[in-house]
Amino acid sequence: MQSNTSNLSGCISSQSDCSDWDASMLKSMSAPSNSEGFLNAMEVEIAGGAAGEDRVQAVCSEENGWLFCAIYDGFNGRDAADFLAGTLYENIRLYLNTLNSKMMTSNIMMPDDFCPDGPLPYLIEDHSFHENMSLEASSINDMGVAMVQKEEGSSDVFKNCVISCLEQALAQAESDFLYMVEQEMDDRPDLVSIGSCVLVVLIHGQDLYSLNLGDSRAILAKTKGINAENLEAIQLTDCHSVDNEAERMRLLSDHPDDPKIISHGKVKGKLKLTRAFGVGYLKKKKLNDALMGILQVPNLLSPPYISTQPSLNIHRISKDDQFVLVASDGLFDFFSNEEVVKIVRSFIITSPSSNPAKFLVEQLMSRAAKRAGLSLEELMDIPAGMRREYHDDVTVIVILLGTGHQTSTASTHQ
């Protein structure tokens, strides 16, 4: 594809009531010049939102042709997800701009045939679905930017460097968060148990990079065979939980002298996740000692038990790729990967100007009500914060891929 545009829509659901919310939280950021880095631009659109313990970000540069999306699914509290929302994107930007400086020093160029044919108009749509949460909205326009280098094979080197930057940015955020926890745990010992899943999707040119810790998912919908109506659901991320046999085997291999590494279906009897941000008490004995009584993990023989090593993936966007769905794990309590792709595909065909992410969450709410033997109205009448027994906080982002669009839209319904 000579150019690739993306439409993005997002939806956040929590246990709070439904309401409309129109206030935009978009803000502009300025950079002195594009030479300072390919993630810098004269105009950057950025926004963030929250639902329960979920945090979500979408950041784009129309001028430089990139899109950043992230979902931070917090647990045991909001502090870790809040910390990620406040620091991870900035860490990534700094690491990538350092990479860009090195590229410029090496005279690595962006050729004209891969650059956008001038600026295209874009539209930002802001809506909301649930109250007590803030708006998450952003947009991305023409994505026809790709990096090529003088030496054959150096394109792969560049991509690997981007992946390394994502990994280093996450490691920096983890180090900073655990340092903060150590400083404040005397006053707030609960901080040692607070953590978050992390899912980042970065689109630059025709390359889609993903990083994940935990059980949130990025799913690619791809045309299967010659029939454009047949879509295949391809999961781009790994599931880091004890339900994943590969993760269980890794834990047993990493801790051969701990007979109770998995107890009652959880790591040390505490957490189903095997990789996550934060949760310092399962990583450092000092932080575990801050807890009292039954909250403390007994026999912490060989920490860390929870890994911060993310799964990383690079996907080259092709003409067969239709959309990417990014969601926290609550969605998959009710739908399989194939079901969400089918639902989104059908909705896009019948309602091309509407929001597929909002529709998908509405379908989840209906299914949750039916599973509980309630009507949707009865479920929605349950007070905010008391619906967790029926459904988790859910965040959904849908990124539409293709060459036929001249605008990109983003909307969030909470």
Side-chain angles (χ1 to χ4, degrees):
M1 295 184 295
Q2 290 300 310
S3 66
N4 174 56
T5 61
S6 301
N7 288 311
L8 181 148
S9 64
C11 187
I12 309 175
S13 170
S14 79
Q15 288 79 28
S16 59
D17 296 332
C18 297
S19 66
D20 290 328
W21 195 79
D22 294 326
S24 172
M25 292 186 66
L26 289 173
K27 63 180 180 180
S28 295
M29 300 168 57
S30 297
S33 73
N34 290 339
S35 63
E36 290 196 0
F38 74 84
L39 282 191
N40 278 337
M42 301 306 290
E43 274 290 308
V44 172
E45 300 296 344
I46 179 172
E53 293 176 335
D54 282 10
R55 298 293 179 268
V56 59
Q57 287 181 306
V59 186
C60 77
S61 168
E62 177 187 2
E63 184 174 350
N64 284 356
W66 56 266
L67 170 67
F68 170 93
C69 294
I71 293 175
Y72 313 122
D73 184 1
F75 52 88
N76 298 335
R78 304 176 179 182
D79 299 77
D82 284 340
F83 190 89
L84 285 163
T87 61
L88 185 58
Y89 167 73
E90 185 63 19
N91 286 357
I92 292 172
R93 189 182 71 84
L94 292 172
Y95 276 103
L96 287 174
N97 284 336
T98 299
L99 171 63
N100 183 72
S101 298
K102 294 178 180 178
M103 289 163 47
M104 293 182 65
T105 302
S106 302
N107 294 319
I108 298 173
M109 304 298 291
M110 290 186 191
D112 293 338
D113 58 333
F114 283 101
C115 290
D117 297 325
L120 295 174
Y122 64 93
L123 176 68
I124 301 175
E125 299 175 354
D126 311 327
H127 303 287
S128 63
F129 189 54
H130 291 267
E131 68 182 6
N132 298 329
M133 292 160 286
S134 54
L135 177 69
E136 145 54 26
S138 187
S139 69
I140 184 71
N141 204 324
D142 194 349
M143 298 293 294
V145 180
M147 304 300 300
V148 298
Q149 289 79 21
K150 293 181 178 179
E151 299 179 10
E152 184 178 356
S154 57
S155 176
D156 289 337
V157 172
F158 168 74
K159 294 176 186 178
N160 289 333
C161 287
V162 172
I163 284 291
S164 179
C165 288
L166 296 178
E167 188 173 8
Q168 291 177 69
L170 177 63
Q172 182 67 54
E174 167 85 355
S175 176
D176 292 344
F177 180 72
L178 292 184
Y179 176 79
M180 181 273 290
V181 169
E182 288 190 25
Q183 300 304 304
E184 299 186 15
M185 65 183 183
D186 288 342
D187 295 326
R188 285 198 56 195
D190 63 300
L191 284 174
V192 304
S193 65
I194 294 175
S196 180
C197 298
V198 182
L199 176 53
V200 169
V201 170
L202 173 67
I203 299 178
H204 182 250
Q206 292 171 249
D207 295 315
L208 186 155
Y209 303 87
S210 62
L211 172 152
N212 82 289
L213 280 177
D215 53 8
S216 297
R217 300 185 198 177
I219 301 169
L220 173 71
K222 187 182 187 74
T223 301
K224 186 177 182 180
I226 60 175
N227 188 347
E229 298 301 315
N230 294 331
L231 291 185
E232 180 181 7
I234 301 173
Q235 188 168 319
L236 302 176
T237 52
D238 295 326
C239 180
H240 301 143
S241 82
V242 294
D243 294 332
N244 183 337
E245 184 178 358
E247 284 295 286
R248 290 200 308 272
M249 297 305 294
R250 179 186 61 80
L251 273 174
L252 293 172
S253 175
D254 290 347
H255 305 275
D257 298 325
D258 192 335
K260 295 184 178 180
I261 179 65
I262 299 176
S263 176
H264 305 291
K266 297 180 179 181
V267 179
K268 299 300 288 183
K270 296 293 184 179
L271 191 66
K272 290 194 69 173
L273 295 174
T274 56
R275 308 191 199 192
F277 180 89
V279 283
Y281 77 129
L282 289 168
K283 296 177 178 177
K284 294 184 176 183
K285 186 178 184 303
K286 177 180 179 180
L287 299 184
N288 183 48
D289 290 343
L291 294 174
M292 302 293 289
I294 62 172
L295 297 176
Q296 194 175 85
V297 180
N299 301 317
L300 202 70
L301 302 178
S302 54
Y305 288 95
I306 301 299
S307 172
T308 317
Q309 178 63 46
S311 292
L312 300 148
N313 184 64
I314 306 172
H315 173 77
R316 185 72 169 175
I317 298 172
S318 75
K319 60 181 178 60
D320 295 325
D321 298 338
Q322 302 301 307
F323 59 85
V324 177
L325 181 139
V326 184
S328 54
D329 69 299
L331 179 68
F332 306 101
D333 292 336
F334 295 90
F335 300 106
S336 67
N337 293 353
E338 291 73 22
E339 284 180 304
V340 295
V341 164
K342 184 177 180 180
I343 291 170
V344 171
R345 169 66 172 174
S346 177
F347 183 81
I348 291 171
I349 292 173
T350 57
S351 306
S353 61
S354 299
N355 188 330
K358 176 179 182 288
F359 179 76
L360 186 57
V361 170
E362 289 171 344
Q363 295 303 299
L364 179 148
M365 300 295 288
S366 295
R367 188 167 290 194
K370 183 177 181 181
R371 182 180 292 182
L374 304 172
S375 68
L376 180 59
E377 291 75 17
E378 289 173 328
L379 178 63
M380 299 307 295
D381 283 341
I382 296 174
M386 297 180 63
R387 272 190 231 145
R388 189 169 293 276
E389 91 176 76
Y390 303 104
H391 70 87
D392 195 3
D393 296 332
V394 178
T395 300
V396 178
I397 299 172
V398 176
I399 306 169
L400 306 183
L401 305 170
T403 59
H405 304 84
Q406 291 199 355
T407 63
S408 298
T409 64
S411 56
T412 296
H413 304 255
Q414 308 179 96

